[in-house]
Amino acid sequence: MVAPDPATPGPAALEPPAGGAPPAADPPSRAFAIATAAMVVALVAAPHVGVYPVFLMKALCFALFACAFNLLVGYVGLLSFGHAMFFGTAGYVSAYAAKVWGLSPELAILAGTVASTLLGLVSGVLAIRRQGIYFAMITLAIAQMMFFFYLQAPFTGGEDGIQSVPRGRLLGVVDLANPLAMYYVVLAIFVAGFLAIRRIIHSPFGQVLKAIRENEPRAVSLGYDADRYKLVAFVLSAALSGVAGATKAIVFQLASLTDVQWQMSGEVVLMTLLGGMGTIFGPVVGAFTIISLEHYLADRGQWVTVITGAIFVVCVLAFRRGIVGEIAAAWAKRGR
Amino acid sequence: MIEIFGIPMQALLGQLLIGLINGAFYAMLSLGLAVIFGLLNIINFTHGAQYMMGAFAAWLLLDRLGVGYWWSLAIAPVAVGAFGVVVERTMLARLYKLDHLYGLLLTFGLALVIQGLFQNEYGSSGLPYRLPSEFAGAFDLGFMMLPRYRAWVVVASVVVCAATWYVIERTKLGSYLRAATENPALVQSFGVNVPRMVTLTYGFGVGLAALAGVMAAPIYQVNPLMGANLIIVVFAVVVIGGMGSIAGSIVTGFGLGVIEGLTKVFYPEASNTVIFVIMVIVLLVKPAGLFGRER
């Protein structure tokens, strides 16, 4: 872990992004607090106004996954195309821990998170050796290697996956078979992860990450070890993706190949892009949008793939700031 | 029967041949990616889908119009290449001033759209493509039977790769191309129409993918997802070779195909992953790739 040096503030004058990544729209603390409170209230109330808890839990797991992914792409500028490996690995390990070892859900999720953190460390050391497009291709290739590993490994159940994983009792007390209890646990995990990411971004460490994103040579010339910062960010992102994947495995009582496939890596990219890369709420909005879309198009065959792809194309061509980014930009214009 | 390391000679040669054929496709696809990347700085994620479109074009020409294999070899790459030109003009051209990753995202989305549409239309199971009658039978090499079509694929892909290499490295046109890769603004100022060259280069790279698709049609089943998994392997090939050199991407493609084939003989469990493992090792030893330059 790189201890952020409090005596060294992040470089104040960042260069505007060179026509590339849209400027991060970070709400000031008060606006953030209000928006977060509103989001939490809405999520606490949602199952009581008729929203299906399983749907909400799925969306929350993906929202946390997308937030974790956004930490890397939005604030360090590293586009990983293999994040499904962390999501899926944690899912497999926590499902195995809960089912075969009989661990309680919190320990199972912890085990999954540890596994994805270690995988993040190993793959991160390799991937940060290259940048940009190569970084994307390398992460994709490593994730594909992990996919084939899980396809063949005896403990994953191959095409069937690990099924009927017990949800168990949280801390030996709360029975998670109750959907509402499970939902509030997922919500708590999501909010904790979300706030942790916000904290990371606003720490001196996060400022250095942004400096590296904007101008790596300059950050290096200021004495920051860019590779170490990138690696720590990569591992943090992998760990939080792992929390999301492990939670999803416990919620759905299933760990399967779907969660380690490259399509899943693409999906989290899409959620973040659609919601707004480098915005704190963007990935949440993106995840809820995409999961709803899939929910309503579930019986329309491959039209989901077509529409997903079309959203990608439209976002890249016309809508690069994403939903939240565009709203923030419009807001800033209005206030000027 | 001759055995090498306890493996029957015939099995070894058989897998070597399959490896060589896979290598031929890796080489043609990574070559196309390298040519496109050189000039456009875009990693063309749609490459796998365009390879699939080539195979489907051949299948449709035969099934719907009765047009045979040889005509398909010419028509499919031109048709899919023309599609590529449209994509470049209408979409990719808007992205050149932005971060190169947007090109990756756009082509990824496009690949999903194309694959989804083909899956809706033709399902996900494979469609067989009848082997042209000229290629029925096999050459008896004494120690093994070499199916004629497979021999043709290897020879044809070597010729295509060599011709591409020759055009880029040894002709005037190729020298413009290489110059534009180094410094587009300067080449433009000499009166070369660089945007048009970029468009045609993309069309050419895409056509190459479609040509590989036509050649693959009689060997593998024609399937909407045939390019999706292949393209990830080809990405690993590209990372291993590095994209600095045309010859490098050809050699790496064939070499990795053969290594993959040999792995199937000696340690079948690893045959799916061996290329990725090699990629990891290359990244540790020579991050720029075997033939690459750091840029």
Side-chain angles (χ1 to χ4, degrees), chain A residues 52-266:
Chain A
Y52 191 41
V54 174
F55 166 79
L56 285 171
M57 287 192 276
K58 185 175 182 188
L60 282 177
C61 289
F62 278 99
L64 180 57
F65 183 26
C67 287
F69 174 78
N70 185 41
L71 176 62
L72 200 57
V73 71
Y75 296 92
V76 201
L78 290 173
L79 176 73
S80 157
F81 234 98
H83 250 50
M85 67 177 149
F86 308 122
F87 192 67
T89 295
Y92 272 126
V93 171
S94 63
Y96 192 83
K99 189 177 179 184
V100 181
W101 297 338
L103 291 189
S104 59
E106 68 279 1
L107 288 178
I109 291 174
L110 185 66
T113 307
V114 169
S116 65
T117 308
L118 292 176
L119 181 62
L121 187 63
V122 176
S123 53
V125 166
L126 288 168
I128 60 164
R129 296 174 79 90
R130 302 302 305 272
Q131 293 172 0
I133 284 169
Y134 281 97
F135 180 86
M137 287 197 291
I138 291 163
T139 44
L140 177 63
I142 296 175
Q144 189 73 353
M145 181 165 82
M146 294 309 295
F147 169 80
F148 282 118
F149 170 71
Y150 291 123
L151 182 65
Q152 292 170 337
F155 72 94
T156 59
E159 303 274 354
D160 298 332
I162 304 177
Q163 296 181 359
S164 50
V165 176
R167 279 186 184 173
R169 302 175 83 86
L170 185 73
L171 302 167
V173 186
V174 187
D175 186 3
L176 295 182
N178 174 357
L180 219 51
M182 185 79 237
Y183 173 68
Y184 285 116
V185 171
V186 174
L187 180 57
I189 292 174
F190 165 74
V191 172
F194 179 79
L195 292 176
I197 288 168
R198 156 89 184 182
R199 185 71 197 85
I200 293 169
I201 292 166
H202 284 264
S203 67
F205 171 74
Q207 297 302 320
V208 178
L209 291 183
K210 279 181 242 173
I212 292 171
R213 179 189 67 187
E214 301 301 337
N215 192 332
E216 183 167 341
R218 188 179 291 178
V220 171
S221 78
L222 285 168
Y224 295 109
D225 185 348
D227 279 354
R228 266 182 74 193
Y229 278 90
K230 282 195 225 169
L231 181 61
V232 173
F234 192 85
V235 173
L236 283 172
S237 174
L240 287 159
S241 304
V243 175
T247 310
K248 177 171 177 278
I250 299 294
V251 169
F252 287 90
Q253 305 181 280
L254 172 73
S256 71
L257 287 172
T258 318
D259 290 349
V260 278
Q261 272 172 350
W262 60 266
Q263 287 93 336
M264 185 60 76
S265 298

Side-chain angles (χ1 to χ4, degrees), chain A residues 228-320:
Chain A
R228 266 182 74 193
Y229 278 90
K230 282 195 225 169
L231 181 61
V232 173
F234 192 85
V235 173
L236 283 172
S237 174
L240 287 159
S241 304
V243 175
T247 310
K248 177 171 177 278
I250 299 294
V251 169
F252 287 90
Q253 305 181 280
L254 172 73
S256 71
L257 287 172
T258 318
D259 290 349
V260 278
Q261 272 172 350
W262 60 266
Q263 287 93 336
M264 185 60 76
S265 298
E267 202 161 302
V268 75
V269 178
L270 177 64
M271 288 170 180
T272 312
L273 180 67
L274 176 63
M277 281 190 208
T279 64
I280 187 104
F281 288 102
V284 182
V285 174
F288 271 82
T289 313
I290 297 292
I291 296 296
S292 314
L293 191 74
E294 287 175 358
H295 187 73
Y296 290 111
L297 290 172
D299 51 355
R300 291 294 170 86
Q302 290 302 323
W303 283 110
V304 183
T305 319
V306 177
I307 291 171
T308 311
I311 297 175
F312 251 110
V313 172
V314 171
C315 279
V316 172
L317 285 179
F319 199 54
R320 280 182 288 275

Side-chain angles (χ1 to χ4, degrees), chain B residues 252-270:
Chain B
T252 321
F254 276 103
L256 288 170
V258 169
I259 291 174
E260 196 185 37
L262 290 177
T263 315
K264 272 197 190 107
V265 182
F266 291 106
Y267 189 57
E269 290 81 4

